[in-house]
Amino acid sequence: MTPIGIDDIELATSHHVVRLDDFAAANGTDPAKFRLGLGQDEFSFPAPDEDVVTMAAAAAAPIIERSGAEGIRTMLFATESGIDQSKAAGMAVHSLLDLPSQMRIVEVKEACYSATAALQAAVGIVTRSPGQRVLVIASDVARYELDTPGEPTQGAGAVAMLVSADPELLEIEPVSGLNSADVDDFWRPNDSSTAIVDGALSVTAYLDALTGAWTDLSAQGGPAMAEIDRVLYHQPFTKMAKKAQVHLAGLTGEDLDTDIVAGPVPSGSAETGPAGVVSSASDSGSTGPRDTGLATSTLYNRRLGNSYTASLYAGLCSLLDHDEDLAGRRIGLFSYGSGSVGEFFTARVVPGYEQHSSRQAVTAALDARVPLSMDAYRALHATELPSAEDVSTPKVTAGPFRFAGVKGRARIYERS
Ligand code: CAA
């Protein structure tokens, strides 16, 4: 059977960053609460002229530049933080990237999970028409109310993935474990720009979904844990991935690594690598917990914060960019979206994947973010666009695309 999966992948984020040490100082909180308790060092925060569209276009543009738009007849845009109740955010990306008109473009929603539904749908489309390629984009701005427990887990980011036959990065395997349950752990009513969350319930709902999805994967004939070399999780905060790993170890009886980096993660270069990261070595013969890439897959997210639909795939970028021993290895991916859906699926890494490393570019983009003072951050967080007036946004972002404002109640985008 022709392998189908991820042929190319790119991660983009916002112009601003909030450093959790500054946040801790302003709130009189021990910084260790964030670095160790949540496993987060920073969070990305959009400038007034950025949103899910500008980040999505920034992520997808290098992919289109590298391989053109030929054969791309579908764009699936996954987001929790869409910008319109009716029109798909992907339409603006289509325009910004000058994509062909012979395309179908839709938006997909189920909290942080929907990018995985989009990815599976893309695999289905390419299975039927192997000459086609599908652009899957996950883009989100994670926002909680000021002074709530969720606030330090905010973030912003987009991951664009090109799904094709004979992919150069990841071959997605056909068996998937699924779990859905109607639960009010996290949701966002239509009139609210911030999520409502029952934090404690959301953590148990996530772990229950992991149990359900893993159990279903096994029932569907999926691989045993011993046959999975690395595991990636949705990362609302990286400590959640550690909790999930401990949970999976309990479910499977396997001795798995549970260490995440005790930040901060120095920016590092592709040559030296970030301090505190050990290379994954599941076949090293060493005793002790098996290294399944928990530390390497959480490096980018520690700095991005939660990027909802993009979070699992930012973890994938981090793993691909930092683990030199992935060729031919099987990765397990657990996707979770509150509300809730969990899916556990697996994929094989294609030899040669390391030639596609975006580590320098991603690290540069993270380093280039402009820090916000706490006062500036709080003011920006509180800013709401007037709902019925024309408005122009200030030129702030250094990214390639910007949200220029609203005219006649329609959102206007442009190249920066
Ligand atoms: N030094 C080190 N650790 C410290 C510390 C210190 N000084 N102070 C506290 N901690 C530790 C605590 O012991 C705790 O550790 P454990 O989780 O291992 O017990 C951790 O820091 C968190 O502290 P709290 O228990 O006090 O919890 P909190 O008030 O910070 O809230 C949260 C945590 C509920 C997850 C909150 O951040 C939240 O509501 N987040 C948004 C919801 C969320 O992300 N849920 C995750 C599952 S849902 C999902 O995945 C979908 C999605 O993307 C939203």
Side-chain angles (χ1 to χ4, degrees):
M1 212 166 78
T2 308
I4 293 165
I6 301 173
D7 189 54
D8 203 353
I9 190 165
E10 280 284 342
L11 170 64
T13 188
S14 64
H15 181 72
H16 285 304
V17 63
V18 175
R19 294 183 175 141
L20 286 172
D21 281 357
D22 299 340
F23 190 93
N27 290 302
T29 311
D30 179 356
K33 160 79 190 282
F34 303 128
R35 290 196 184 282
L36 303 175
L38 296 178
Q40 293 301 130
D41 301 327
E42 305 170 334
F43 60 81
S44 289
F45 201 83
D49 55 348
E50 291 180 317
D51 65 10
V52 292
V53 167
T54 60
M55 292 190 300
I63 293 178
I64 303 299
E65 275 160 27
R66 275 195 287 273
S67 64
E70 198 184 332
I72 301 180
R73 294 176 57 80
T74 305
M75 183 203 298
L76 304 175
F77 193 113
T79 186
E80 187 274 353
S81 38
I83 38 99
D84 192 276
Q85 297 283 20
S86 173
K87 185 176 173 182
M91 297 310 304
V93 176
H94 174 265
S95 169
L96 286 169
L97 299 184
D98 290 324
L99 293 172
S101 48
Q102 294 75 24
M103 283 182 70
R104 62 169 77 87
I105 299 168
V106 291
E107 195 164 303
V108 196
K109 179 170 73 177
E110 171 29 47
C112 310
Y113 163 73
S114 61
T116 301
L119 191 60
Q120 295 290 12
V123 169
I125 290 169
V126 178
T127 302
R128 192 180 62 182
S129 307
Q132 289 190 29
R133 303 184 297 162
V134 177
L135 189 57
V136 173
I137 305 180
S139 184
D140 266 308
V141 177
R143 278 169 64 95
Y144 297 93
E145 269 191 51
L146 294 173
D147 306 317
T148 61
E151 187 187 1
T153 71
Q154 294 176 128
V159 173
M161 297 176 269
L162 193 60
V163 174
S164 77
D166 295 316
E168 297 203 348
L169 293 178
L170 224 59
E171 296 172 5
I172 296 175
E173 297 185 304
V175 181
S176 216
L178 302 172
N179 190 84
S180 282
D182 184 1
V183 51
D184 291 329
D185 60 329
F186 165 109
W187 69 102
R188 191 161 63 80
N190 282 344
D191 60 354
S192 179
S193 63
T194 51
I196 298 171
V197 62
D198 179 335
L201 177 63
S202 73
V203 171
T204 54
Y206 179 121
L207 297 177
D208 288 348
L210 176 55
T211 302
W214 175 261
T215 306
D216 187 50
L217 183 78
S218 303
Q220 298 295 318
M225 189 60 224
E227 299 168 301
I228 298 177
D229 302 301
R230 306 285 186 270
V231 187
L232 297 172
Y233 299 96
H234 167 55
Q235 299 172 31
F237 49 96
T238 70
K239 178 81 167 285
M240 189 67 228
K242 179 186 171 90
K243 288 178 191 286
Q245 180 86 329
V246 170
H247 191 77
L248 188 64
L251 284 175
T252 59
E254 290 260 344
D255 189 10
L256 305 177
D257 53 324
T258 53
D259 288 338
I260 53 176
V261 173
V265 180
S267 58
S269 70
E271 289 73 40
T272 59
V277 180
V278 288
S279 71
S280 294
S282 61
D283 58 349
S284 66
S286 60
T287 54
R290 184 153 69 88
D291 181 355
T292 64
L294 185 65
T296 40
S297 64
T298 49
L299 292 170
Y300 288 160
N301 290 284
R302 288 191 72 90
R303 303 189 63 192
L304 275 180
N306 197 352
S307 54
Y308 290 163
T309 53
S311 162
L312 171 64
Y313 300 98
L316 171 62
C317 292
S318 188
L319 185 77
L320 292 172
D321 286 352
H322 293 90
D323 188 332
E324 292 165 2
D325 186 28
L326 286 181
R329 297 205 180 273
R330 177 183 274 133
I331 301 180
L333 298 95
F334 177 63
S335 179
Y336 176 72
S338 292
S340 70
V341 180
E343 178 163 350
F344 201 117
F345 65 106
T346 59
R348 287 265 186 202
V349 181
V350 180
Y353 74 95
E354 65 280 359
Q355 287 159 25
H356 299 259
S357 174
S358 293
R359 180 164 160 181
Q360 272 170 328
V362 172
T363 305
L366 290 168
D367 290 348
R369 290 171 303 170
V370 176
L372 285 169
S373 70
M374 286 307 290
D375 285 348
Y377 151 68
R378 288 179 73 93
L380 208 46
H381 190 290
T383 305
E384 303 256 351
L385 280 181
S387 64
E389 292 164 29
D390 287 0
V391 58
S392 297
T393 54
K395 287 196 175 186
V396 179
T397 183
F401 305 100
R402 61 182 299 275
F403 163 52
V406 176
K407 196 169 179 195
R409 302 209 68 181
R411 292 172 80 91
I412 312 295
Y413 294 90
E414 62 188 20
R415 286 180 179 268
S416 299

